[in-house]
Amino acid sequence: MAKSSSFSCSACGASFSKWSGRCEGCGEWNTITEDKGLSSGGPAKKSLGMRRGRTIPLTDLATEETPPPRSHSGVGELDRVLGGGLVAASAILVGGDPGIGKSTLLLQAAARFAEAGVKTVYVSGEEASAQVRMRAQRLGLAQAPVKLAAETNLRDILTTLEAERPQLAIIDSIQTMWADHVDSAPGSVSQVRAAAHELTTFAKSNGISIIMVGHVTKEGQIAGPRVVEHMVDTVLYFEGERGHQFRILRAVKNRFGPADEIGVFEMTGAGLSEVINPSALFLSERGQPSPGSVVFAGIEGTRPVLVELQALVAPSPHSQPRRAVVGWDSSRLAMILAVLEARCGIPFAGLDVYLNVAGGMKISEPAADLAVAAALLSAREDTPLPADTAIFGEISLSGALRPAPQTENRLKEAQKLGFTSAIAPGGGKSVSVKGLSQRKVSDLTGFVGEFFGAG
C-alpha cells in the first residue's frame, strides 16, 4: 500500500491531505508543497527514524530502555530549571529577545557540560566559528573541549552529528536552519517546523540531547508555528530588562521536571553568573521605607522569592487616567482597583496609577493581589508600611482573601532574610515560623481599616 503524502503551505504552515493551487488558510497562491522528510528519498539514504516493527511491553521498560542518569552542567540555576540536569535524548527549545544573552548562556553551558565529560558540539548558524571563539575567549572559555561548527544546511548538520556522536548538540538558532527538501526561505514557518521536526526525531532516535535557540516575536512568543513547542520536551524562556543586570531563565514546559521553575542570573563583564539567593539580590537596593513600597513573598516554581512592589498614585491631568504596569498583569491591576472601589469605597478615579516590580522580575501568581493592593493604598494615602513586613494573599471579587499555597515556604524565606512580621490571609492551615509574627486578615475591608484607618 502506497504511503499517503502530506502537503503544507510555505507561507502560513497549514497542512493539507492533497495539493491545491490556493491555500485555504492564508489565501496565497502556489505556496502548497509536498512534505518530504530528510530520511526519505530512496534506498541510498539511511533512515533517521526508530527501528520499525518492534514494540516493548510496558513492564519491560526497566530493563533495556531505562534512560541513563541526568548530566549535570555544574551551573546550579540551569540544572534547576531543567529539572535536575540534562536528560539524554531530549529536545530543548530556548527563546528570548535579541541580545538578552541566549548565546552567552548556552556557550557557557556547553563549556561546563564539556568539562564535566559530556561530548558537546556547538553549531552556530548566525556567526562564524572565529566569532564564537572570540566570545569564548572573552568569557574565559577558550580552553573548553567544545567542538564548534558554522553551518545552516540541516542535512549537513545531521550528517556531522551522526558521525561525531556527541551527547549534546546546541543549534543556534533554529530560524537560520534550512532543509533542502522544503521550498521556502530560511526562517519561514515551513522551514522552522521541518528543521525542528528533523532535529527532534534525530535526538530521540540517536540518544543525543539537542538544545535549539529560538527568536521571539514582538508579542514575546517564539517565532514560527506553535507546533514547535509541542514537538520538544522542554521550553525555556530567557527573560530580563535591558536596564537591569538580572536575567530570568523560566521553564514554561518541562516533561522531566516542574514547569514555571526559574533560574536567576546576573549579567557581568565576564558573562552570566548564577545568583544563589535571588531574594537578597532583588531586595539589595531597597532603601528606607517609603509610601508605595511593599515586599511580596512569592513562589516561582518550587523556589520562594521575595521581590519589592512599587506603586505611585498621582492626580491625572487627563480625562482618562493612566494605568501603567511593569512586571505584572495589567488586567489583574484593573480588577484590584475595581474591588477597592466597590468593596472598600476607595476610588481611584482621576488618579494615574503606576505599578512596577523591582529588579526586572515578572510575577504571574494571584497571591500577589494583597501586596499590590497594599502598595496602591500606601501610595494613595502617602503612608509607608513597616519595612520588616512581607505580604501575600489572593483577593476575590467579593473582597475576601484566599490562602496562598506553600505558605510555610514563603514565611521561612521572609524570616531568613530578616523580616519579623508577615501579613497573610486568614483561614487555611495554620503555620508558625520561629522569629516571625503573623497578622491574619480575613477580607480586604478589614485590612484597609486596620492599616489605613478607612473602609
Side-chain angles (χ1 to χ4, degrees), residues 391-410:
I391 305 177
F392 61 92
E394 180 182 355
I395 299 177
S396 65
L397 293 180
S398 64
L401 297 181
R402 297 176 179 175
Q406 302 188 44
T407 299
E408 185 176 3
N409 292 338
R410 301 174 194 263

Side-chain angles (χ1 to χ4, degrees), residues 423-449:
I423 302 174
K429 183 180 179 181
S430 179
V431 177
S432 62
V433 176
K434 185 178 180 181
L436 186 73
S437 63
Q438 301 180 50
R439 305 178 73 171
K440 299 288 188 179
V441 183
S442 59
D443 55 35
L444 189 58
T445 304
F447 171 77
V448 173

Side-chain angles (χ1 to χ4, degrees), residues 211-240:
I211 300 178
M212 296 174 279
V213 178
H215 298 302
V216 298
T217 60
K218 293 185 297 182
E219 291 78 19
Q221 303 295 331
I222 294 178
R226 294 302 297 269
V227 71
V228 174
E229 298 188 18
H230 299 296
M231 291 180 187
V232 298
D233 301 308
T234 305
V235 180
L236 309 178
Y237 277 90
F238 205 41
E239 307 169 352

Side-chain angles (χ1 to χ4, degrees), residues 50-80:
M50 302 288 287
R51 284 174 287 179
R52 303 294 192 266
R54 181 172 179 264
T55 59
I56 301 174
L58 181 63
T59 55
D60 291 344
L61 290 179
T63 57
E64 181 184 356
E65 298 294 330
T66 300
R70 296 175 184 261
S71 301
H72 298 279
S73 65
V75 182
E77 296 298 297
L78 177 61
D79 291 336
R80 169 193 286 270

